[in-house]
Amino acid sequence: MKRQLLILLSFCSAGTLLAQNIQNNPTSNHGNKFEALGTILPTPNEYRTASGAPGPKYWQQRCDYDITCSLDEDKQWLTGSETITYSNNSPNELTYLWLQLDENEHSSKNNANYQDGGSMQKIVSDQMLDRVGRAHEANDYGDNITKITDALGKSLHYTVNKTMMRVELPAILKPGQKFIFKIDWNYHISDRMKLGGRGGYEYFPEDGNYIFTMTQWYPRLCVYSDFQGWQNNQFTSRGEFALTFGNFKVAMTVPADHIIGATGECQNYQAVLSPTQFGRWQQAQSVKEPIEIVNLAEAKASEVKKNKAKKTWIFKADNVRDFAWGSSRKFVMDAMPAYVEGKKVMCMSYYGKEAYPLYRRFSTKAVAHTIKTYSHFTIPFPYPVAQSVEAANGMEYPMICFNYGRCEKDGTYSEATKYGMLGVVIHEVGHNFFPMIINSDERQWTWMDEGLNSFVEYLTEELWDNKFPVRGKGPGWAIVDYMKLPKDQLEPIMTNSENIVNFGPNAYSKPATALNILRETVMGRELFDYAFKEYARRWAFKHPTPADLFRTMNDASAENLDWYWRGWFYGIEPVDLSLDSVKHLVADFDHAPAKVDSMAMKNIDKPFPTGKFPTDISKDRNRDDKNIVFATDADTALHDFYWKYTRGQIPYDTAKYALHVTQFDEPMDEATKQRVQSKQYYELQFSNKGGLVMPIIIEWTYKDGTKEVERIPAQVWRKNESHLTKLFVKDKEVQSIKLDPNRETADIDETNNSWPVVQTESKFEVFKAKQLGPRAIPQSNNPMQLTGKDKKAF
């Protein structure tokens, strides 16, 4: 019963019970944000320990596949047959198996039928309008199961429930036993450019060819685990996959001029490539620059000739949780090796002429950079291949991913397209680690793959180019717009995938930014990196849950981070720390009565100039680390027009202010007088207006122009979570004070972070001033203070 309650707490969404409100000490008026997560997390057991490591009796199932399939390009039809060997490593007896039929998402009769509300305002494109119009039309999409038998050919009873299929076993499958069965199936391949989804085809009317991205394409086993039994949530195209590790052997018969990239290693390149192309493949094993195995001229020639003969490509992949492939005669194919701890990994890319200028220059090098960087932050990349396929979308599978990034017809590309392409390649290749290896349950916790992957993606982009543009994840300020939304538009990160309203910020940006703040601001890089690598090591090729991550990070760092998980992952409160008042005290013994000392309190009158502050502490630290060599510095071939922008910094100015003095008295001995007289005393009062406790970062600017940054751990709030008064002793007089100068804590209101108070304009005021021009500020520095003619004009 206890476990059921814990699961409900973890699955809560906006408007329901939040972990930050589950108080360990309900009668206390403080400290609850710093209490242990306790019963919010599942009870440790022999399978999953309190340290976050797998227990002595941890187990997981195994599933091996032998698949043959044939692609009919003209009819857009796929026919397949698979032999599945399922190993029951659990301590439980099984009477049935659950499989996923993800192609049924396109079926008019077997889709999950999860519906949301909608309005005409949400119809933002012709493509979306077409999808809405097709939603209830009868079609022939979805898996057609033609036969299921055991290894001896005896029919097995099965039931299709929407996107899931239950196969009933002829006898109880006991612990330690294996069961072999066969499934024959076929389906109509969908036009993913019209119907959406991750797999399908894209048609190119200008040359009459297709790119097929074959994903979620075969019936595949659900995960059966110690923490939830069968994971058989329906597939709605939102929550992705929870899958079982195993070995794959796959034979794909396609038009003879198609080139295939797939999970694993091709077993018969010599049979499916031309002798010249196979020679280039052999040459590619030792090159230092990507070499085209199938070059652009050959791909263009194939687009015109359209060979109707057939060839069968054979791939093998060991210890993977899934298998995907791409097939087209449009593909250029290039390759080069990368080395991770001495092990060779063939990095490869596939792309049509439409993406050639970008992908030829960047894709394979980005693949190599990604697996090396992720290996540094997690575990060494264990597979022999890593591949990127340009297919006008973004989706990941073991050893292969499908990405975005096409050029204009004249071969040019914009800066946004370049960095968008690099970002998606890094992100999707990075998914090899999260969740393809560290195999979390994407149907339940999207953030455990997308959020963790987005975090390491950010680190990897930073190490590609220190000026890589931030895209909503990483530095604290990047998540502020989301964090400041009204509470009825927010939900905890610990929300089921299907229930998330703001999917991108909640599942990608907020967890990625939370982890980066944890690394840069709360723990420090050394402690964080060690603990994060330990999590990856412990749970590689296993099925971790959020509790395993939280507990491992605590365990490997000797930091009690429960307050952080509680606030950032279970809560919706934002960061808004306010500097409410400052008292400046100095000793004045010359004008005081005997044995009574006079101290001066100083208040600043004038506004403090805003200036421009550094916006990304990760960039600053990476830039200053002499051991880091950025990819674009090491390889000048990566330099293009956009890289060559001026890379200067805006100087930060200070100002001087008038001071006023008040006094208070305190008796002191001579030794204390001499010591005190040389010091400057500042009493600062803070308030936690947002509710999310965080470290206090103070930038002191002294009157001599020097600066000092002081960091106070978040635990300073533990005895009063709302208000704090703290005394600081300085050797020099302070001119100004600013909280969070690098904008690293995701503080949603910077107007209360400075002393003296900084006068700032709202976005509306700035917009109105631009619209009205000089008339908007005839007698005032505030464009809202309009008079006479100016009011009328507005």
Side-chain angles (χ1 to χ4, degrees):
M1 192 67 182
K2 185 177 182 181
R3 177 173 291 275
Q4 293 174 352
L5 172 62
L6 298 176
I7 292 174
L8 288 175
L9 295 179
S10 296
F11 289 5
C12 68
S13 59
T16 62
L17 191 62
L18 305 182
Q20 63 190 20
N21 295 324
I22 304 169
Q23 298 185 354
N24 298 58
N25 297 318
T27 59
S28 174
N29 61 7
H30 69 275
N32 283 292
K33 296 178 187 294
F34 290 94
E35 291 297 325
L37 287 174
T39 55
I40 295 171
L41 299 181
T43 304
N45 52 45
E46 293 180 304
Y47 309 130
R48 296 168 191 271
T49 67
S51 71
K57 292 187 177 180
Y58 175 84
W59 56 267
Q60 64 188 39
Q61 308 291 66
R62 177 187 176 91
C63 190
D64 299 320
Y65 298 85
D66 190 335
I67 307 174
T68 60
C69 64
S70 179
L71 172 66
D72 187 327
E73 183 179 38
D74 294 333
K75 296 180 179 179
Q76 298 90 52
W77 202 270
L78 187 71
T79 303
S81 178
E82 61 191 271
T83 299
I84 302 173
T85 302
Y86 187 77
S87 300
N88 182 15
N89 298 324
S90 80
N92 307 320
E93 295 181 342
L94 302 179
T95 58
Y96 51 79
L97 308 177
W98 278 104
L99 290 87
Q100 302 180 25
L101 303 181
D102 298 321
E103 270 301 314
N104 281 356
E105 71 166 314
H106 302 297
S107 169
S108 56
K109 64 178 182 178
N110 284 327
N111 65 79
N113 198 30
Y114 286 14
Q115 299 183 19
D116 293 326
S119 66
M120 293 184 67
Q121 290 180 333
K122 291 187 177 181
I123 305 301
V124 296
S125 68
D126 292 341
Q127 185 182 57
M128 187 176 294
L129 184 63
D130 185 53
R131 291 180 190 174
V132 173
R134 293 172 181 264
H136 302 290
E137 293 179 1
N139 62 46
D140 64 347
Y141 293 112
D143 283 302
N144 302 304
I145 305 298
T146 58
K147 185 170 59 174
I148 302 182
T149 66
D150 63 15
L152 299 176
K154 184 178 179 180
S155 294
L156 298 176
H157 183 73
Y158 65 92
T159 301
V160 174
N161 177 24
K162 302 174 184 175
T163 64
M164 313 303 300
M165 180 171 67
R166 184 183 65 236
V167 175
E168 297 179 23
L169 299 172
I172 293 175
L173 186 62
K174 295 181 179 181
Q177 291 184 337
K178 296 181 179 181
F179 181 67
I180 300 174
F181 64 110
K182 298 180 180 181
I183 306 177
D184 293 343
W185 47 266
N186 61 71
Y187 69 86
H188 183 187
I189 303 169
S190 63
D191 183 344
R192 61 179 175 80
M193 306 304 290
K194 293 182 178 179
L195 298 182
R198 295 165 172 81
Y201 69 82
E202 178 183 3
Y203 180 65
F204 293 80
E206 62 273 17
D207 55 48
N209 289 294
Y210 298 82
I211 290 179
F212 291 90
T213 54
M214 309 311 297
T215 65
Q216 298 95 258
W217 57 283
Y218 61 98
R220 52 195 185 158
L221 263 294
C222 301
V223 167
Y224 182 77
S225 68
D226 63 279
F227 63 88
Q228 68 180 349
W230 285 108
Q231 163 57 285
N232 52 14
N233 291 357
Q234 297 289 338
F235 181 51
T236 68
S237 80
R238 168 63 72 84
E240 290 175 356
F241 321 114
L243 299 166
T244 302
F245 286 106
N247 295 341
F248 285 75
K249 179 183 178 183
V250 182
M252 297 150 283
T253 300
V254 298
D257 52 3
H258 274 217
I259 299 298
I260 286 183
T263 296
E265 294 181 288
C266 182
Q267 303 298 295
N268 64 336
Y269 271 143
Q270 193 162 8
V272 293
L273 297 176
S274 72
T276 300
Q277 292 166 345
F278 183 68
R280 295 171 188 154
W281 168 251
Q282 292 177 307
Q283 182 184 353
Q285 304 304 305
S286 58
V287 296
K288 294 184 178 181
E289 291 285 324
I291 183 174
E292 292 180 17
I293 312 304
V294 179
N295 64 34
L296 180 61
E298 291 165 342
K300 287 182 176 181
S302 294
E303 286 183 325
V304 176
K305 295 178 182 178
K306 294 186 177 62
N307 192 333
K308 295 298 183 180
K310 297 284 186 178
K311 282 185 180 178
T312 298
W313 296 61
I314 301 172
F315 279 76
K316 287 185 66 178
D318 292 338
N319 206 16
V320 294
R321 65 171 222 162
D322 200 5
F323 190 101
W325 51 290
S327 181
S328 179
R329 63 174 56 87
K330 293 177 66 67
F331 283 155
V332 174
M333 171 185 173
D334 70 34
M336 66 176 285
Y339 294 88
V340 176
E341 296 192 359
K343 178 183 176 181
K344 182 170 73 172
V345 179
M346 287 306 296
C347 300
M348 305 159 68
S349 295
Y350 304 79
Y351 43 91
K353 61 181 183 293
E354 295 80 5
Y356 186 87
L358 265 175
Y359 270 69
R360 181 64 181 90
R361 186 172 193 172
F362 294 114
S363 179
T364 297
K365 289 185 176 181
V367 172
H369 173 74
T370 300
I371 61 169
K372 288 188 285 189
T373 306
Y374 272 69
S375 295
H376 171 74
F377 288 111
T378 60
I379 61 169
F381 186 72
Y383 295 128
V385 175
Q387 300 163 90
S388 164
V389 181
E390 197 291 311
N393 68 347
M395 191 57 202
E396 71 279 358
Y397 302 90
M399 291 183 258
I400 190 170
C401 58
F402 302 95
N403 305 311
Y404 141 96
R406 292 179 185 166
C407 306
E408 303 297 329
K409 291 188 180 297
D410 63 0
T412 61
Y413 53 86
S414 68
E415 182 183 32
T417 300
K418 169 194 169 179
Y419 284 110
M421 170 262 180
L422 284 171
V424 76
V425 170
I426 290 170
H427 180 90
E428 306 302 349
V429 173
H431 270 305
N432 275 286
F433 295 82
F434 304 100
M436 302 302 156
I437 297 169
I438 299 127
N439 189 21
S440 58
D441 179 357
E442 300 172 83
R443 288 280 167 95
Q444 177 54 50
W445 299 295
T446 296
W447 70 268
M448 283 200 75
D449 73 289
E450 297 296 356
L452 269 62
N453 183 52
S454 294
F455 162 63
V456 188
E457 172 202 347
Y458 169 72
L459 302 180
T460 303
E461 291 170 348
E462 276 289 289
L463 295 176
W464 175 270
D465 181 355
N466 191 232
K467 297 297 181 181
F468 201 104
V470 174
R471 296 180 182 272
K473 65 194 75 168
W477 59 262
I479 196 64
V480 164
D481 285 345
Y482 173 66
M483 297 283 280
K484 65 175 25 173
L485 288 175
K487 288 190 176 181
D488 61 358
Q489 298 181 36
L490 299 172
E491 57 248 314
I493 291 175
M494 288 290 290
T495 298
N496 177 268
S497 300
E498 309 298 342
N499 303 334
I500 300 172
V501 176
N502 291 295
F503 193 74
N506 180 280
Y508 292 70
S509 303
K510 186 178 178 182
T513 303
L515 290 170
N516 194 53
I517 292 173
L518 189 61
R519 180 178 189 250
E520 298 284 12
T521 302
V522 176
M523 297 176 69
R525 291 186 173 189
E526 182 177 0
L527 274 180
F528 179 95
D529 290 352
Y530 182 91
F532 195 70
K533 285 173 74 75
E534 180 65 10
Y535 166 71
R537 185 194 66 79
R538 286 178 175 182
W539 290 98
F541 301 104
K542 296 182 177 69
H543 303 296
T545 68
D548 301 318
L549 170 64
F550 299 156
R551 286 169 166 156
T552 294
M553 293 298 293
N554 291 9
D555 182 74
S557 67
E559 290 284 340
N560 185 346
L561 299 168
D562 281 9
W563 65 273
Y564 198 83
W565 311 128
R566 182 188 293 272
W568 277 93
F569 288 79
Y570 289 91
I572 61 173
E573 290 180 327
V575 180
D576 183 8
L577 303 186
S578 173
L579 176 58
D580 296 333
S581 69
V582 177
K583 294 179 181 179
H584 176 201
L585 304 160
V586 294
D588 182 0
F589 302 110
D590 295 334
H591 302 89
K595 296 185 179 181
V596 179
D597 304 314
S598 176
M599 303 286 285
M601 176 185 293
K602 302 184 179 183
N603 299 314
I604 293 181
D605 292 334
K606 297 182 181 179
F608 176 68
T610 57
K612 182 172 180 180
F613 298 92
T615 58
D616 192 337
I617 194 169
S618 296
K619 289 185 184 294
D620 295 341
R621 289 174 177 169
N622 287 342
R623 180 197 60 218
D624 296 337
D625 189 337
K626 304 305 180 185
N627 295 318
I628 290 177
V629 178
F630 300 100
T632 50
D633 291 341
D635 185 355
T636 57
L638 298 172
H639 296 186
D640 65 351
F641 171 80
Y642 302 105
W643 185 91
K644 298 176 183 177
Y645 279 141
T646 302
R647 302 155 87 95
Q649 296 182 349
I650 299 174
Y652 176 88
D653 296 325
T654 60
K656 297 182 179 180
Y657 305 100
L659 304 177
H660 301 281
V661 178
T662 61
Q663 296 182 342
F664 73 90
D665 297 327
E666 179 184 9
M668 297 182 182
D669 58 32
E670 286 301 319
T672 303
K673 286 181 181 180
Q674 293 177 11
R675 185 173 65 253
V676 168
Q677 197 166 22
S678 66
K679 301 294 184 180
Q680 306 281 332
Y681 297 86
Y682 292 87
E683 181 187 275
L684 275 56
Q685 291 187 350
F686 307 91
S687 60
N688 179 5
K689 296 183 179 298
L692 183 53
V693 291
M694 285 292 285
I696 301 174
I697 305 170
I698 305 172
E699 180 185 70
W700 306 88
T701 299
Y702 298 103
K703 297 197 76 173
D704 63 4
T706 61
K707 294 178 183 291
E708 176 193 8
V709 175
E710 190 166 351
R711 295 173 178 269
I712 304 169
Q715 285 76 9
V716 74
W717 298 98
R718 68 194 183 281
K719 295 181 180 178
N720 188 324
E721 296 166 356
S722 301
H723 299 281
L724 173 68
T725 299
K726 190 168 178 60
L727 179 66
F728 298 86
V729 181
K730 298 296 178 184
D731 293 323
K732 298 183 289 187
E733 187 172 347
V734 173
Q735 177 171 289
S736 61
I737 302 170
K738 183 173 179 63
L739 301 186
D740 194 15
N742 291 305
R743 305 171 70 198
E744 59 187 282
T745 67
D747 195 312
I748 66 170
D749 184 2
E750 296 182 69
T751 64
N752 56 25
N753 286 6
S754 299
W755 176 81
V757 175
V758 177
Q759 301 298 323
T760 60
E761 297 176 342
S762 70
K763 292 181 179 179
F764 173 73
E765 290 169 340
V766 173
F767 171 76
K768 190 172 74 172
K770 289 181 179 179
Q771 299 300 309
L772 296 177
R775 294 182 302 165
I777 48 174
Q779 299 177 359
S780 171
N781 289 328
N782 185 346
M784 294 300 289
Q785 297 175 356
L786 305 181
T787 59
K789 179 181 177 181
D790 302 296
K791 281 187 175 180
K792 185 176 181 180
F794 181 73

